[in-house]
Amino acid sequence: MATIRETENAYFKYVKKIMDFNEATALAAWDMRTGSPKKGAGQRAEVIGTLSGEIFNLSTSEDMKHFIDTLSDPGIQSDLSEKTIKSVEESKREYERNVKIPAEEYKEYVILQSKAETVWEDAKAKSDFKMLEPYLDKIVDFKHLFVDYWGHDGNKYNTLLDLYEPGMTVDVIDRVFGQLRDGIIPLVQEVAEAADQPETNFLYKPFPKGQQRAFSIHILKEMGYDFSAGRLDETAHPFQISLNPGDVRVTTHYDEFDFRTAVFGTIHEGGHALYEQNISKDLIGTPLCSGTSMGVHESQSLFFENFVGRNKAFWEQYYDVLKEHAGGQFEHVSVEGYYRAINVAGPSLIRIEADEMTYPLHIIVRYEIEKALFNGDIKVKDLPGVWNEKMEQYLGIKPDHDREGVLQDIHWSGGDFGYFPSYALGYLYAAQFKHTLLKDLPDFDDNLRSGRIRPIREWLTDKIHQYGKLKKPMDILLDVTGEELNAKYLINYLNEKYRDVYHLSRVK
Amino acid sequence: MATIRETENAYFKYVKKIMDFNEATALAAWDMRTGSPKKGAGQRAEVIGTLSGEIFNLSTSEDMKHFIDTLSDPGIQSDLSEKTIKSVEESKREYERNVKIPAEEYKEYVILQSKAETVWEDAKAKSDFKMLEPYLDKIVDFKHLFVDYWGHDGNKYNTLLDLYEPGMTVDVIDRVFGQLRDGIIPLVQEVAEAADQPETNFLYKPFPKGQQRAFSIHILKEMGYDFSAGRLDETAHPFQISLNPGDVRVTTHYDEFDFRTAVFGTIHEGGHALYEQNISKDLIGTPLCSGTSMGVHESQSLFFENFVGRNKAFWEQYYDVLKEHAGGQFEHVSVEGYYRAINVAGPSLIRIEADEMTYPLHIIVRYEIEKALFNGDIKVKDLPGVWNEKMEQYLGIKPDHDREGVLQDIHWSGGDFGYFPSYALGYLYAAQFKHTLLKDLPDFDDNLRSGRIRPIREWLTDKIHQYGKLKKPMDILLDVTGEELNAKYLINYLNEKYRDVYHLSRVK
């Protein structure tokens, strides 16, 4: 009979193997996206399939069940470290998610999902929702079925939210998204009508790729991104991927006629990377060694992209460096003019091109649609109509084609219902974190103005990064800010900022 | 009871998994050598360890034993395809090599090996053989023991040769290396005394890295290296690595004051890569999907490096392209002068810097020493003395320090006894292949002169590349050239070439 300590050690040895396979899979994925030769792609996909299959087998094995059962025994919890308890919880979450769906059904779903993504590309190109509809119908049916297998507490949609944002519920989101929507819509209106619109022509002048790269590297270093534990590559779509805390990679995309793509993309991914690089080394090899949720992850990227990267004080320090890297495009532009230009905002159709003021509205549209879909209030066939209606209602504009409307994102074709809200939740977390941070570091802007980003990064590491998945999203929020999620911090931030950018009166 | 066909299918499914893990391991290794962040290296080594452990377990499992036993049954061989028969032979080779050594002893050996490599670095830096001696002693003892476990047919050293060059024996090597040594030594003498030595000063002029890279890519494409099934990166030590035939990567090293490092390094690795890119797709996922031996692999890299890349006709086509990429360093140099300079030859101490004429002598020194060591004729402590004696005897020069002598290579510290001969065997194969190729393509030089490398590459693919490990080295040699290994082809080539380069009389 093994002692508790022996079982605990055996469990960690077992999950370390899973994490090693995870790292190998992540590397294969990174490699495919950064430059692996296309003729090897078919075989590479099989390698990823083999590794994923192995991870699935290990995560759902009888051995795993035994570890979970033994180490979840309430009688021994007091003998276990917090790391063990939380790791086992995470393994159990994973185990149950995987074993509750019959293998055959899951396989059928994976095949459908992959087909739907291909059909989506085609449907989007042709702006033809009808092509995708039967596939989406089946995907939604499967998701309903999975929710039944997994079980649900209250609203069915809660189970989907929980996949990306553990513990998040419709009740909370309804409350904060409602607050947010009502707070933003009038601001969007005012900004659109503002007399003094920023001059932006100079943004679209040529800025050589090599120079953009050099500036991106400079800014990443200033943010505290550790290049001896990471690297910056170029891809069509920027991303961050963590192999382990000593190897956290970012990519960016260079548009030679709009440097903002690379600069703000790099800062955004750099924010994600700072989270992963600063997780406690003690968690390496456990299921806790990554960001705690999609939303908290996004809070870190948006914190840096918006509160640091689109901050006037930040550019008072770095605008000269940017000028040194660029050609003459900024020659006759003051830092104030530059600051206003990079913060130009207004209603637009495409989520990924939206500014920070209107972005949450794009998410709210998607959230309300997903929730209605999983509560039986609408059908898949209703999606284009409902989409256009809500865009009109919240943003005042309506797409002429579904390509620029309901077909713009791949998420639903991939079955990722419940994912979209985390983008806006991340933004709300970020604003709430920043509000607390200002109490500890009231000279936030002064720090940026003199290039001292370190104390800010250290505060985030101390409060958030280091814990990985040791703390759930809601626990982090409560521990750091002392209160539940509250949209007022983001609303206040947006009001303050955009009144400044658009020269509107301070108080409406 | 499974049918033969079912067992065959199950076997291939099983080995495919091993090959997928192999690809993941190769990618991890490539990544570590091309730019993975150093802080992730420790954890990355553990990932490689986990994958290798899995490969070892799968290759030596009861399942594998069952597949091997069932499919090796002489009664069913006529029902099996050649691919199955040869794959199972390869799996069996691997199985026996692994299971015959007790796990504990092997583990001890791996630890020793890794320590010895570290000690070697230090010993080399300090030029102190005594530091390394006790480690080498133990490694040689282990290798003796392993040979006993594995068994040997005739000379004990044959078992070590067989690890790298299946089927190769001391009898064959003694014969051909003897021939080669006796053929080269007088030529080296004559070349050293030649009145008309090539002018080489212009070689060492600055040649920017970016331009070297552009030229290297150009030449790789001309050779038929498929960039949609590969990529070129930069590393301290050039290498080629195959993930699968659709993903065969090469690296090179740029010396801005000696472009030859990159150009000939790239052509050499490109020769290896052409082998791997052109293995039949039918062999993907089987243990047959790689070059058949170290020697045959080296024959392909040396074929391109020396017979193509150091050929006068080749530069009659590409010298102008080289000039376009370089600065003015070749301005006053004729193609004849250039050709003579890149073929400058003479005795030197360091193997990896040796020219193509003296290189085989460096290998023969190492071969004779290894053979003596495993036949009990000398001891590890005798190595420095024997080394210096043989260098004096064959090359006429002797190192002042062991750093430039017996300590220059890492191979022995890594336990790689039996490996060195394959470098010279590859060269011998290459010359013998070329002799046959000239019968099919008598206009070899004319082809190069007009940039038609394709028929040469296609001939090599047809005769060698496509088979992977379906044919053993000796079978390939016999099938292609119709005769056993014969050193006269290389001796004739070297005589002809160096008499031309050094303006010596044609017939001695």
Side-chain angles (χ1 to χ4, degrees), chain B residues 22-38:
Chain B
N22 264 330
E23 179 166 337
T25 312
L27 177 64
W30 172 84
D31 184 65
M32 280 194 92
R33 293 171 74 178
T34 54
S36 75
K38 71 175 192 321

Side-chain angles (χ1 to χ4, degrees), chain B residues 203-435:
Chain B
L203 297 175
Y204 308 102
K205 298 282 159 62
F207 191 148
K209 194 152 105 169
Q211 293 299 95
Q212 290 192 39
R213 176 170 158 84
F215 182 73
S216 298
I217 288 173
H218 180 80
I219 292 297
L220 279 175
K221 285 183 182 164
E222 291 289 301
M223 284 166 64
Y225 175 79
D226 180 356
F227 270 94
S228 66
R231 49 183 286 166
L232 173 66
D233 293 88
E234 181 185 357
T235 50
H237 302 284
F239 66 93
Q240 174 272 145
I241 192 165
S242 172
L243 306 182
N244 65 64
D247 189 350
V248 179
R249 305 177 181 198
V250 289
T251 74
T252 196
H253 177 72
Y254 303 100
D255 179 340
E256 296 213 303
F257 293 91
D258 190 347
F259 71 96
R260 294 175 302 172
T261 304
V263 169
F264 295 105
T266 303
I267 298 176
H268 181 96
E269 301 308 331
H272 280 304
L274 289 179
Y275 193 173
E276 296 286 336
Q277 283 190 335
N278 292 297
I279 291 175
S280 166
K281 304 287 174 283
D282 188 43
L283 301 179
I284 292 178
T286 75
L288 305 174
C289 196
S290 66
T292 191
S293 71
M294 293 300 307
V296 177
H297 234 302
E298 200 68 11
S299 79
Q300 299 308 294
S301 54
L302 291 173
F303 189 100
F304 278 93
E305 182 184 349
N306 293 336
F307 304 157
V308 173
R310 296 189 202 272
N311 184 311
K312 200 192 299 181
F314 175 83
W315 289 107
E316 284 168 8
Q317 170 66 223
Y318 295 104
Y319 190 45
D320 283 344
V321 188
L322 180 73
K323 280 176 162 174
E324 281 163 28
H325 286 81
Q329 78 188 98
F330 304 114
E331 220 164 87
H332 303 292
V333 182
S334 66
V335 64
E336 171 71 19
Y338 171 79
Y339 166 70
R340 295 190 70 208
I342 60 166
N343 282 296
V344 68
S348 63
L349 293 170
I350 307 295
R351 176 184 62 86
I352 58 167
E353 294 166 6
D355 57 80
E356 55 167 332
M357 178 182 71
T358 56
Y359 189 85
L361 296 174
H362 289 264
I363 299 305
I364 293 171
V365 165
R366 286 155 177 80
Y367 164 69
E368 293 181 356
I369 290 175
E370 290 190 353
K371 191 181 70 170
L373 208 49
F374 284 91
N375 284 279
D377 301 333
I378 57 169
K379 300 273 179 209
V380 166
K381 68 172 168 44
D382 306 324
L383 289 179
V386 179
W387 181 283
N388 294 350
E389 210 172 280
K390 285 189 184 283
M391 284 297 288
E392 174 81 59
Q393 196 181 341
Y394 299 159
L395 283 147
I397 52 172
K398 221 169 65 176
D400 288 333
H401 306 286
D402 287 338
R403 178 173 47 226
E404 296 164 329
V406 71
L407 287 175
Q408 69 183 265
D409 297 306
I410 195 176
H411 300 58
W412 292 344
S413 307
D416 287 330
F417 293 95
Y419 186 130
F420 279 123
S422 46
Y423 293 120
L425 289 169
Y427 206 2
L428 291 161
Y429 294 154
Q432 194 161 330
F433 290 147
K434 191 189 167 195
H435 178 79

Side-chain angles (χ1 to χ4, degrees), chain A residues 328-461:
Chain A
Q329 78 188 96
F330 304 115
E331 220 163 273
H332 303 291
V333 182
S334 66
V335 65
E336 171 72 18
Y338 171 80
Y339 166 70
R340 295 190 70 209
I342 60 167
N343 282 297
V344 68
S348 63
L349 294 169
I350 307 295
R351 176 184 61 88
I352 57 169
E353 294 167 7
D355 56 81
E356 56 167 332
M357 177 182 70
T358 58
Y359 190 86
L361 296 175
H362 290 264
I363 299 305
I364 293 171
V365 165
R366 287 156 177 79
Y367 164 69
E368 292 181 356
I369 290 176
E370 290 189 355
K371 190 180 69 167
L373 209 48
F374 284 91
N375 285 280
D377 301 332
I378 58 168
K379 300 274 178 207
V380 166
K381 69 172 166 45
D382 307 323
L383 289 180
V386 180
W387 182 284
N388 295 350
E389 212 173 282
K390 285 188 184 282
M391 285 297 289
E392 175 80 59
Q393 196 182 341
Y394 299 159
L395 283 146
I397 52 172
K398 219 169 66 176
D400 289 332
H401 306 286
D402 287 339
R403 180 175 43 228
E404 296 164 329
V406 71
L407 287 174
Q408 69 183 269
D409 296 308
I410 195 174
H411 301 56
W412 291 344
S413 308
D416 285 331
F417 293 94
Y419 186 128
F420 279 123
S422 45
Y423 293 120
L425 289 169
Y427 206 1
L428 291 161
Y429 295 153
Q432 195 162 330
F433 289 147
K434 193 189 166 195
H435 178 80
T436 305
L437 183 149
L438 286 176
K439 295 176 196 162
D440 295 338
L441 283 177
D443 49 358
F444 184 85
D445 281 359
D446 279 344
N447 275 317
L448 292 183
R449 199 169 283 118
S450 54
R452 289 192 305 270
I453 308 181
R454 178 193 279 254
I456 298 167
R457 203 271 303 153
E458 284 176 347
W459 188 91
L460 294 167
T461 293

Side-chain angles (χ1 to χ4, degrees), chain A residues 16-17 20 23 31 35-40 43-44 46 50 54 226 228 230-231 243-244 246-247 249, chain B residues 16-17 20 23 31 35-40 43-44 46 50 54 226 228 230-231 243-244 246-247 249:
Chain A
K16 175 64 163 65
K17 189 170 170 181
D20 283 348
E23 179 166 338
D31 184 66
S36 75
K38 73 176 191 316
K39 286 187 181 164
Q43 168 53 28
R44 173 61 59 81
E46 292 186 28
T50 297
E54 206 59 24
D226 180 356
S228 66
R231 48 182 288 165
L243 306 181
N244 66 64
D247 187 351
R249 304 177 181 200
Chain B
K16 174 63 163 66
K17 189 171 169 181
D20 284 347
E23 179 166 337
D31 184 65
S36 75
K38 71 175 192 321
K39 286 189 181 164
Q43 168 52 26
R44 173 60 58 82
E46 291 184 31
T50 297
E54 206 58 25
D226 180 356
S228 66
R231 49 183 286 166
L243 306 182
N244 65 64
D247 189 350
R249 305 177 181 198

Side-chain angles (χ1 to χ4, degrees), chain B residues 9-272:
Chain B
N9 290 339
Y11 162 74
F12 277 118
K13 199 174 157 193
Y14 188 87
V15 292
K16 174 63 163 66
K17 189 171 169 181
I18 298 177
M19 299 316 290
D20 284 347
F21 282 132
N22 264 330
E23 179 166 337
T25 312
L27 177 64
W30 172 84
D31 184 65
M32 280 194 92
R33 293 171 74 178
T34 54
S36 75
K38 71 175 192 321
K39 286 189 181 164
Q43 168 52 26
R44 173 60 58 82
E46 291 184 31
V47 171
I48 293 176
T50 297
L51 289 166
S52 307
E54 206 58 25
I55 293 167
F56 182 88
N57 291 341
L58 289 167
S59 308
T60 56
S61 68
E62 278 303 309
D63 285 347
M64 181 57 103
K65 185 173 184 325
H66 171 75
F67 286 129
I68 293 170
D69 289 346
T70 310
L71 296 168
S72 301
D73 176 354
I76 64 160
Q77 297 300 294
S78 56
D79 286 333
L80 299 176
S81 70
E82 199 196 353
K83 185 167 93 171
T84 306
I85 295 169
K86 299 287 179 178
S87 288
V88 174
E89 273 175 27
E90 198 54 37
S91 292
K92 189 176 176 180
R93 220 176 114 81
E94 192 69 20
Y95 177 85
E96 294 190 339
R97 190 180 303 160
N98 285 321
V99 296
K100 284 183 173 171
I101 299 174
E104 273 313 302
E105 283 177 40
Y106 190 71
K107 204 170 156 186
E108 202 183 321
Y109 168 72
V110 170
I111 293 165
L112 170 66
Q113 192 184 27
S114 145
K115 267 193 209 152
E117 289 188 357
T118 312
V119 172
W120 165 77
E121 274 186 47
D122 207 13
K124 183 180 172 185
K126 296 183 175 135
S127 209
D128 181 358
F129 183 78
K130 283 280 163 216
M131 280 177 68
L132 186 62
E133 195 184 307
Y135 293 91
L136 269 189
D137 250 335
K138 279 186 209 156
I139 284 179
V140 170
D141 286 348
F142 263 115
K143 283 279 159 172
H144 270 289
L145 194 64
F146 291 176
V147 170
D148 291 338
Y149 285 132
W150 288 324
H152 56 96
D153 196 11
N155 200 301
K156 279 185 95 167
Y157 187 64
N158 286 347
T159 300
L160 297 176
L161 285 172
D162 190 75
L163 295 174
Y164 307 95
E165 205 59 21
M168 186 49 68
T169 63
V170 163
D171 288 349
V172 174
I173 298 190
D174 278 347
R175 175 172 60 76
V176 293
F177 279 15
Q179 239 185 317
L180 189 57
R181 192 186 52 208
D182 298 345
I184 294 177
I185 291 175
L187 178 66
V188 172
Q189 190 66 23
E190 265 197 280
V191 161
E193 288 162 3
D196 195 355
Q197 296 286 326
E199 169 57 53
T200 59
N201 282 344
F202 68 91
L203 297 175
Y204 308 102
K205 298 282 159 62
F207 191 148
K209 194 152 105 169
Q211 293 299 95
Q212 290 192 39
R213 176 170 158 84
F215 182 73
S216 298
I217 288 173
H218 180 80
I219 292 297
L220 279 175
K221 285 183 182 164
E222 291 289 301
M223 284 166 64
Y225 175 79
D226 180 356
F227 270 94
S228 66
R231 49 183 286 166
L232 173 66
D233 293 88
E234 181 185 357
T235 50
H237 302 284
F239 66 93
Q240 174 272 145
I241 192 165
S242 172
L243 306 182
N244 65 64
D247 189 350
V248 179
R249 305 177 181 198
V250 289
T251 74
T252 196
H253 177 72
Y254 303 100
D255 179 340
E256 296 213 303
F257 293 91
D258 190 347
F259 71 96
R260 294 175 302 172
T261 304
V263 169
F264 295 105
T266 303
I267 298 176
H268 181 96
E269 301 308 331
H272 280 304

